[in-house]
């Protein structure tokens, strides 16, 4: 594997290639317009040069048809470019349901990743080729930005909430990973690589190395230790909602609104329970702010996911 990273690596996913096509189209269109202008300027410079004997009287002040044409034609082209780009953009926010999940926690100045089976890594992210991967990312301190040039994709990673990103690497290789948001002294050193491997190699890699309990298993331990069980267990005497199958469920709130439960919703339910109260329940759930770190919150989310069907189809923009 080569470590000779270049700043403009060839695209490593079909979505990245689509982005390249869009950029090429934009550059081609701009070039075409620029050339048209330059040609006309040169033609007029020549035709109306000082010594030329041309008729300079009665220059027309209007040409309605011409003006309409040069307004409408570019507008149509721009609308087309807009529709094209909007489609690509919307696709970035609809991860396929079968996507692998990897949790990423950024901190000054490193990227920590954890796979659902508990395998952890720092400043590298191993992924299988040909399988959609969905990253669920947050920061432990300041704003960072997860940027992989080969995937033509970048997402801000913000403390206190999740941002997600998905991609399907379609060739093996090691792709540069950068932090693209100035985050302090060693910002420039906050880099690593995304390693895309053949699925068999990835499966092997996943099973090797230090074994922690999987995320869901750790989440279960935390769920008991922090007393969630006392209210949320089916046998509890406290009136609290059933958490099985929560991911993807449409939750009705006491303020009359609804929300589709995703990772951010569950995170907020634990950190700021007053923010959204489930309709029909009392606001008695305590806040677990400062009691759970980012890895623990992620583990609890995976535990809740393991309880029932996950119908979350991917997030909305
Ligand atoms: C004192 C009882 C109590 C404890 C302890 C408690 N909860 Fe809750 N929880 C509730 C109640 C009541 C609600 C519904 C009202 C609301 O939204 O605050 C709720 C709501 C939630 C929701 C939103 C459920 C939905 O259907 O939308 C989640 C997720 C949740 N709790 C997770 C947890 C986790 C994880 C813990 C432990 C870290 C925990 N709760 C501890 C009582 C509790
Ligand atoms: Cu950073």
């Amino acid at each position: 594997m080569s470590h000779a990273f270049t700043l403009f690596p060839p695209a490593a996913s079909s979505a990245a290639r689509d982005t390249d096509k869009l950029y090429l189209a934009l550059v081609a269109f701009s070039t075409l317009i620029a050339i048209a202008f330059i040609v006309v300027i040169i033609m007029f410079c020549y035709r109306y040069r000082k010594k030329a004997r041309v008729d300079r009287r009665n220059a027309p002040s209007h040409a309605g048809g011409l003006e309409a044409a040069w307004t409408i034609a570019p507008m149509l082209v721009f609308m087309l470019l807009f529709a094209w780009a909007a489609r690509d953009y919307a696709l970035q926010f609809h991860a396929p349901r079968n996507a692998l999940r990897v949790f990423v926690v950024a901190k000054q100045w490193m990227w920590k990743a954890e796979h659902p089976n508990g395998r952890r890594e720092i400043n590298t992210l191993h992924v299988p080729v040909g399988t959609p991967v969905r990253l669920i990312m947050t920061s432990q301190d300041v704003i960072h930005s997860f940027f992989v040039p080969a995937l033509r994709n970048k997402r801000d990673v913000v403390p206190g909430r999740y941002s997600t990103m998905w991609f399907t690497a379609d060739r093996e290789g090691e792709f540069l990973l950068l932090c693209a948001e100035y985050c302090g002294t060693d910002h420039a050193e906050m880099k690593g690589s995304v390693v895309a491997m053949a699925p068999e190699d990835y499966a092997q890699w996943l099973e090797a190395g230090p074994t922690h309990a999987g995320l869901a298993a750790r989440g279960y331990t935390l769920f008991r230790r922090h007393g969630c069980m006392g209210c949320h267990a089916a046998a509890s005497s406290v009136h609290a909602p059933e958490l099985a199958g929560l991911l993807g469920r449409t939750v009705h709130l006491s303020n009359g609104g609804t929300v589709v439960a995703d990772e951010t919703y569950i995170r907020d339910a634990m950190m700021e329970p007053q923010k959204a109260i489930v309709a029909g329940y009392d606001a008695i759930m305590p806040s677990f702010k400062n009691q759970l770190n980012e890895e623990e919150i992620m583990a609890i989310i995976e535990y809740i996911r393991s309880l029932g069907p996950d119908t979350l189809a991917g997030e909305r923009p």
Side-chain angles (χ1 to χ4, degrees):
M1 242 175 260
S2 151
H3 283 269
F5 289 126
T6 66
L7 211 49
F8 301 105
S13 72
S14 71
R17 259 182 290 283
D18 286 347
T19 305
D20 284 357
K21 278 180 213 147
L22 179 65
Y23 266 77
L24 265 175
L26 282 169
V27 171
F29 182 61
S30 314
T31 308
L32 207 75
I33 300 281
I35 290 174
F37 272 84
I38 292 166
V39 167
V40 172
I41 289 171
I42 292 173
M43 268 169 52
F44 282 165
C45 282
Y46 179 76
R47 186 176 158 98
Y48 293 103
R49 69 194 185 282
K50 197 170 178 188
K51 284 187 190 140
R53 313 185 57 186
V54 281
D55 182 7
R56 294 171 204 268
R57 293 162 307 150
N58 303 325
S61 74
H62 279 89
L66 196 61
E67 285 174 24
W70 78 47
T71 307
I72 292 168
M75 197 187 77
L76 289 178
V77 175
F78 283 125
M79 293 308 280
L80 198 86
L81 285 168
F82 171 76
W84 179 358
R87 179 185 139 272
D88 283 5
Y89 185 77
L91 280 176
Q92 289 191 2
F93 288 92
H94 283 275
R97 204 171 276 189
N98 64 343
L100 287 182
R101 293 178 308 283
V102 183
F103 286 92
V104 174
V105 178
K107 61 173 269 194
Q108 288 167 322
W109 287 278
M110 63 176 80
W111 297 102
K112 299 184 287 181
E114 181 156 359
H115 300 254
N117 79 340
R119 176 100 207 233
R120 294 176 191 158
E121 47 184 338
I122 287 179
N123 288 344
T124 51
L125 174 64
H126 287 78
V127 296
V129 166
T131 309
V133 176
R134 177 158 169 264
L135 305 179
I136 304 164
M137 306 184 283
T138 191
S139 164
Q140 218 168 286
D141 38 47
V142 299
I143 301 177
H144 302 275
S145 188
F146 189 96
F147 178 35
V148 183
L151 298 173
R152 312 290 191 263
N153 215 334
K154 177 168 77 170
R155 193 75 83 231
D156 279 5
V157 177
V158 182
R161 67 157 150 157
Y162 290 132
S163 26
T164 67
M165 176 177 153
W166 77 274
F167 60 88
T168 308
D170 64 1
R171 62 183 171 91
E172 287 177 43
E174 193 173 339
F175 313 118
L176 183 59
L177 157 66
L178 296 166
C179 177
E181 180 74 51
Y182 179 66
C183 57
T185 317
D186 280 340
H187 161 68
E189 292 305 316
M190 191 170 162
K191 57 187 186 212
S193 54
V194 171
V195 182
M197 324 165 86
E200 319 78 82
D201 296 341
Y202 172 75
Q204 240 172 39
W205 175 88
L206 203 58
E207 294 310 323
T211 43
H212 308 264
L215 272 169
R218 273 193 351 256
Y220 175 61
T221 310
L222 291 160
F223 198 79
R224 299 181 56 149
R225 193 190 305 152
H226 286 275
C228 317
M229 218 62 160
C231 296
H232 286 286
S236 165
S237 56
V238 181
H239 183 51
E242 166 72 52
L243 298 182
L246 181 56
L247 278 150
R249 186 193 295 163
T250 302
V251 178
H252 295 267
L253 302 177
S254 60
N255 65 8
T258 57
V259 54
V260 175
D262 57 4
E263 290 89 358
T264 298
Y265 172 79
I266 297 183
R267 183 205 161 82
D268 289 350
M270 291 186 267
M271 298 295 109
E272 297 168 68
Q274 305 306 323
K275 199 173 137 185
I277 309 295
V278 185
Y281 294 91
D282 294 331
I284 50 165
M285 177 161 159
S287 166
F288 291 86
K289 209 172 190 150
N290 304 325
Q291 294 186 42
L292 297 167
N293 65 32
E294 292 303 338
E295 279 84 1
E296 292 171 334
I297 297 170
M298 290 167 167
I300 291 178
I301 292 174
E302 283 304 287
Y303 167 65
I304 293 175
R305 194 195 305 272
S306 74
L307 291 176
D310 166 11
T311 49
L312 193 63
E315 102 235 60
R316 284 133 289 275

